Amino acid sequence: MSELPPAARWLPAGTFEDEVAVVTGGGTGLGLEIARGLAALGARVVIVSRDPAHHRALLEEGARRGWRVEARVLDVREPADVRAAAESILAAHGRVDVLVNNAAGNFVCPAERLSANAWRAVLGIVLDGTFYCSQAFGKAMIAARAGRILNVVATYAWTGMPGVVHSASAKAGVLALTRTLAVEWARHGIRVNAIAPGPFESQGASSNLWPEPAVADAIRARIPLARFATADEVAAQCLHLLSPASAYVTGECLVVDGGASLGAPMWEPGARFSRRREGAADGGPAS
Ligand code: COA
């Protein structure tokens, strides 16, 4: 039971010792892996999410491993509730060093069929929620003249992707928020970064976004590294961005997608090229 979670194995023991970290949506998927990594590296971790059933996994593992973890029910779409949660966490712990805005909602729906309520639900969780949490916990970080915020976005924030206009629009907003707060709050000693994972296996994403194995296979075929990430591979990069190893990194968006967002190649990797003629540019693959 002493073995570290995989995401935590790349940083020194105690990297986040005695820091207080809040992870939204921290009970499942990527949020859970980030929370586990932070806790294993010494942080006091508070996960917040809507569904208390999602809290159990971390709380049970924390009890077994001796981690300092707790959970609170919170809908990040409700600004007054977010402010109250921030006040209560600060009252309990005296500080917040790390905020991970990971909570998200997503599903595939053609834009022309998306209801106003569905648009609002996803924009509310992803964009509004990220702002409300950043503001509520950011005030404490400003007072402390230190803090780190990490926002989870997606490469389709800038590439676009059919069927997720709600999520892509929200994530694009979060990316702008990331860069803006990075510049605005740098003078307060706060770093604000984003991570853009490609497809990885997780409870929320797998069942919502590629429920059919054939869809997952088609996605995999377009990834240069030819596989999905694991959640702990993505979480490892999150921990690195939050650690002192990234002390000079702010306003950055780290893409962790196995090369997927670089676009489909014009020809197959390994294609045989025509021999270069004197004075001529390289051609495409030999016919
Ligand atoms: N396709 C189209 N519309 C959908 C939908 C889908 N798959 N899922 C939800 N909606 C619509 C609902 O129909 C509703 O709109 P309506 O009132 O016009 O019918 C609106 O979105 C809100 O849905 P509801 O379930 O009432 O809202 P919610 O706030 O409880 O939850 C989500 C919304 C997106 C968070 C919810 O679908 C969810 O829990 N998803 C799984 C978690 C997740 O997505 N994690 C992130 C993975 S990347």
Short mmCIF file of all heavy atoms in Angstrom, two decimals, residues 50 77 104-109 114-119 121-122 125 202 204-205 208-209, ligand 1:
data_model
loop_
_atom_site.label_atom_id
_atom_site.label_comp_id
_atom_site.label_asym_id
_atom_site.label_seq_id
_atom_site.Cartn_x
_atom_site.Cartn_y
_atom_site.Cartn_z
N ARG A 50 -20.40 17.57 -7.47
CA ARG A 50 -21.83 17.58 -7.18
C ARG A 50 -22.31 16.32 -6.47
O ARG A 50 -23.22 16.37 -5.66
CB ARG A 50 -22.61 17.71 -8.50
CG ARG A 50 -22.67 19.08 -9.05
CD ARG A 50 -23.69 19.18 -10.15
NE ARG A 50 -23.36 18.33 -11.28
CZ ARG A 50 -24.17 18.11 -12.31
NH1 ARG A 50 -25.37 18.65 -12.32
NH2 ARG A 50 -23.80 17.35 -13.31
N ARG A 77 -21.32 25.79 -10.71
CA ARG A 77 -22.12 26.78 -11.46
C ARG A 77 -22.78 27.81 -10.56
O ARG A 77 -23.35 28.79 -11.04
CB ARG A 77 -23.22 26.06 -12.26
CG ARG A 77 -22.67 25.24 -13.39
CD ARG A 77 -23.76 24.44 -14.08
NE ARG A 77 -24.22 23.33 -13.27
CZ ARG A 77 -24.97 22.34 -13.72
NH1 ARG A 77 -25.36 22.34 -14.97
NH2 ARG A 77 -25.34 21.36 -12.93
N ALA A 104 -16.09 19.21 -15.40
CA ALA A 104 -16.55 19.42 -16.78
C ALA A 104 -17.82 18.62 -17.02
O ALA A 104 -18.14 17.69 -16.28
CB ALA A 104 -15.47 18.99 -17.76
N GLY A 105 -18.54 19.01 -18.03
CA GLY A 105 -19.66 18.22 -18.53
C GLY A 105 -19.53 18.21 -20.04
O GLY A 105 -19.14 19.21 -20.64
N ASN A 106 -19.82 17.07 -20.63
CA ASN A 106 -19.65 17.00 -22.08
C ASN A 106 -20.45 15.84 -22.64
O ASN A 106 -20.72 14.85 -21.96
CB ASN A 106 -18.17 16.81 -22.43
CG ASN A 106 -17.85 17.21 -23.85
OD1 ASN A 106 -18.71 17.74 -24.56
ND2 ASN A 106 -16.64 16.96 -24.27
N PHE A 107 -20.86 15.99 -23.86
CA PHE A 107 -21.52 14.92 -24.61
C PHE A 107 -21.49 15.36 -26.06
O PHE A 107 -21.25 16.53 -26.36
CB PHE A 107 -22.97 14.71 -24.14
CG PHE A 107 -23.73 16.00 -23.99
CD1 PHE A 107 -24.31 16.61 -25.09
CD2 PHE A 107 -23.84 16.63 -22.76
CE1 PHE A 107 -24.97 17.82 -24.96
CE2 PHE A 107 -24.51 17.83 -22.63
CZ PHE A 107 -25.09 18.44 -23.73
N VAL A 108 -21.69 14.40 -26.94
CA VAL A 108 -21.66 14.72 -28.37
C VAL A 108 -23.07 15.01 -28.85
O VAL A 108 -23.99 14.21 -28.64
CB VAL A 108 -21.04 13.55 -29.17
CG1 VAL A 108 -21.08 13.86 -30.66
CG2 VAL A 108 -19.61 13.30 -28.71
N CYS A 109 -23.26 16.18 -29.46
CA CYS A 109 -24.58 16.55 -29.97
C CYS A 109 -24.39 17.52 -31.13
O CYS A 109 -23.66 18.51 -31.00
CB CYS A 109 -25.39 17.22 -28.85
SG CYS A 109 -27.05 17.73 -29.35
N LEU A 114 -28.62 21.16 -30.40
CA LEU A 114 -28.28 21.43 -29.00
C LEU A 114 -29.29 22.41 -28.40
O LEU A 114 -29.52 23.50 -28.94
CB LEU A 114 -26.87 22.04 -28.95
CG LEU A 114 -26.20 22.17 -27.60
CD1 LEU A 114 -25.79 20.79 -27.06
CD2 LEU A 114 -24.96 23.06 -27.71
N SER A 115 -29.92 22.04 -27.29
CA SER A 115 -30.89 22.96 -26.67
C SER A 115 -30.14 24.06 -25.91
O SER A 115 -28.97 23.92 -25.53
CB SER A 115 -31.79 22.20 -25.70
OG SER A 115 -31.09 21.88 -24.51
N ALA A 116 -30.87 25.15 -25.69
CA ALA A 116 -30.27 26.27 -24.94
C ALA A 116 -29.86 25.80 -23.55
O ALA A 116 -28.81 26.20 -23.02
CB ALA A 116 -31.28 27.42 -24.85
N ASN A 117 -30.66 24.92 -22.99
CA ASN A 117 -30.36 24.42 -21.65
C ASN A 117 -29.09 23.58 -21.64
O ASN A 117 -28.28 23.64 -20.70
CB ASN A 117 -31.56 23.60 -21.16
CG ASN A 117 -31.65 23.57 -19.65
OD1 ASN A 117 -31.13 24.47 -18.99
ND2 ASN A 117 -32.29 22.55 -19.12
N ALA A 118 -28.91 22.78 -22.69
CA ALA A 118 -27.72 21.95 -22.78
C ALA A 118 -26.47 22.83 -22.94
O ALA A 118 -25.43 22.58 -22.32
CB ALA A 118 -27.85 20.98 -23.95
N TRP A 119 -26.57 23.83 -23.81
CA TRP A 119 -25.46 24.79 -23.98
C TRP A 119 -25.10 25.40 -22.64
O TRP A 119 -23.95 25.45 -22.23
CB TRP A 119 -25.90 25.85 -25.00
CG TRP A 119 -25.04 27.07 -25.08
CD1 TRP A 119 -25.22 28.24 -24.41
CD2 TRP A 119 -23.86 27.24 -25.90
NE1 TRP A 119 -24.24 29.14 -24.76
CE2 TRP A 119 -23.39 28.56 -25.66
CE3 TRP A 119 -23.18 26.43 -26.80
CZ2 TRP A 119 -22.26 29.08 -26.30
CZ3 TRP A 119 -22.04 26.96 -27.43
CH2 TRP A 119 -21.59 28.26 -27.19
N ALA A 121 -25.75 24.35 -19.63
CA ALA A 121 -25.23 23.39 -18.63
C ALA A 121 -23.72 23.26 -18.78
O ALA A 121 -22.97 23.31 -17.79
CB ALA A 121 -25.91 22.03 -18.79
N VAL A 122 -23.26 23.09 -20.02
CA VAL A 122 -21.82 22.86 -20.23
C VAL A 122 -21.02 24.15 -20.06
O VAL A 122 -19.98 24.16 -19.39
CB VAL A 122 -21.59 22.19 -21.60
CG1 VAL A 122 -20.11 22.11 -21.92
CG2 VAL A 122 -22.21 20.80 -21.60
N ILE A 125 -20.77 24.83 -16.26
CA ILE A 125 -19.79 24.05 -15.49
C ILE A 125 -18.37 24.46 -15.87
O ILE A 125 -17.53 24.76 -15.01
CB ILE A 125 -19.97 22.54 -15.75
CG1 ILE A 125 -21.35 22.07 -15.31
CG2 ILE A 125 -18.88 21.75 -15.04
CD1 ILE A 125 -21.73 20.68 -15.81
N SER A 202 -11.39 7.43 -19.35
CA SER A 202 -11.88 7.89 -18.05
C SER A 202 -13.37 7.64 -17.98
O SER A 202 -14.05 7.54 -19.01
CB SER A 202 -11.57 9.37 -17.82
OG SER A 202 -12.58 10.16 -18.39
N GLY A 204 -15.94 9.51 -17.21
CA GLY A 204 -16.84 10.45 -17.87
C GLY A 204 -16.69 10.41 -19.38
O GLY A 204 -17.65 10.22 -20.13
N ALA A 205 -15.43 10.55 -19.84
CA ALA A 205 -15.21 10.71 -21.27
C ALA A 205 -15.53 9.45 -22.06
O ALA A 205 -16.20 9.50 -23.09
CB ALA A 205 -13.77 11.13 -21.51
N ASN A 208 -19.26 8.77 -22.56
CA ASN A 208 -19.99 9.86 -23.23
C ASN A 208 -19.52 10.11 -24.65
O ASN A 208 -20.31 10.43 -25.53
CB ASN A 208 -19.77 11.18 -22.47
CG ASN A 208 -20.76 11.33 -21.35
OD1 ASN A 208 -21.69 10.56 -21.26
ND2 ASN A 208 -20.56 12.31 -20.51
N LEU A 209 -18.22 10.04 -24.85
CA LEU A 209 -17.65 10.54 -26.10
C LEU A 209 -17.33 9.44 -27.10
O LEU A 209 -17.35 9.67 -28.29
CB LEU A 209 -16.39 11.38 -25.81
CG LEU A 209 -16.63 12.58 -24.87
CD1 LEU A 209 -15.33 13.33 -24.62
CD2 LEU A 209 -17.68 13.54 -25.45
N1 COA B 1 -27.26 15.14 -25.79
C1 COA B 1 -28.00 16.27 -25.91
N2 COA B 1 -28.40 17.01 -24.86
C2 COA B 1 -28.03 16.59 -23.63
C3 COA B 1 -27.23 15.43 -23.42
C4 COA B 1 -26.85 14.68 -24.56
N3 COA B 1 -26.13 13.56 -24.46
N4 COA B 1 -27.00 15.31 -22.08
C5 COA B 1 -27.63 16.33 -21.48
N5 COA B 1 -28.25 17.10 -22.42
C6 COA B 1 -29.09 18.26 -22.21
C7 COA B 1 -30.34 17.88 -21.46
O1 COA B 1 -31.32 17.33 -22.32
C8 COA B 1 -30.77 19.23 -20.89
O2 COA B 1 -31.36 20.05 -21.87
P1 COA B 1 -32.97 20.17 -22.01
O3 COA B 1 -33.44 20.66 -20.67
O4 COA B 1 -33.16 21.15 -23.09
O5 COA B 1 -33.48 18.81 -22.32
C9 COA B 1 -29.42 19.88 -20.58
O6 COA B 1 -28.43 19.21 -21.35
C10 COA B 1 -29.06 19.75 -19.14
O7 COA B 1 -29.04 18.36 -18.85
P2 COA B 1 -29.17 17.84 -17.35
O8 COA B 1 -28.79 16.41 -17.31
O9 COA B 1 -30.48 18.23 -16.80
O10 COA B 1 -28.11 18.79 -16.67
P3 COA B 1 -27.07 18.53 -15.64
O11 COA B 1 -26.62 19.88 -15.28
O12 COA B 1 -27.56 17.66 -14.55
O13 COA B 1 -25.88 17.71 -16.39
C11 COA B 1 -24.08 17.24 -17.84
C12 COA B 1 -25.33 18.09 -17.61
C13 COA B 1 -23.50 17.54 -19.18
C14 COA B 1 -23.02 17.55 -16.81
C15 COA B 1 -24.47 15.77 -17.72
O14 COA B 1 -24.92 15.32 -18.94
C16 COA B 1 -23.39 14.87 -17.20
O15 COA B 1 -23.38 14.60 -16.02
N6 COA B 1 -22.47 14.32 -18.02
C17 COA B 1 -21.47 13.37 -17.57
C18 COA B 1 -20.24 13.98 -16.96
C19 COA B 1 -19.29 14.48 -17.98
O16 COA B 1 -19.70 14.82 -19.04
N7 COA B 1 -17.99 14.54 -17.63
C20 COA B 1 -16.99 15.11 -18.50
C21 COA B 1 -16.48 14.14 -19.50
S1 COA B 1 -15.37 14.88 -20.67
#
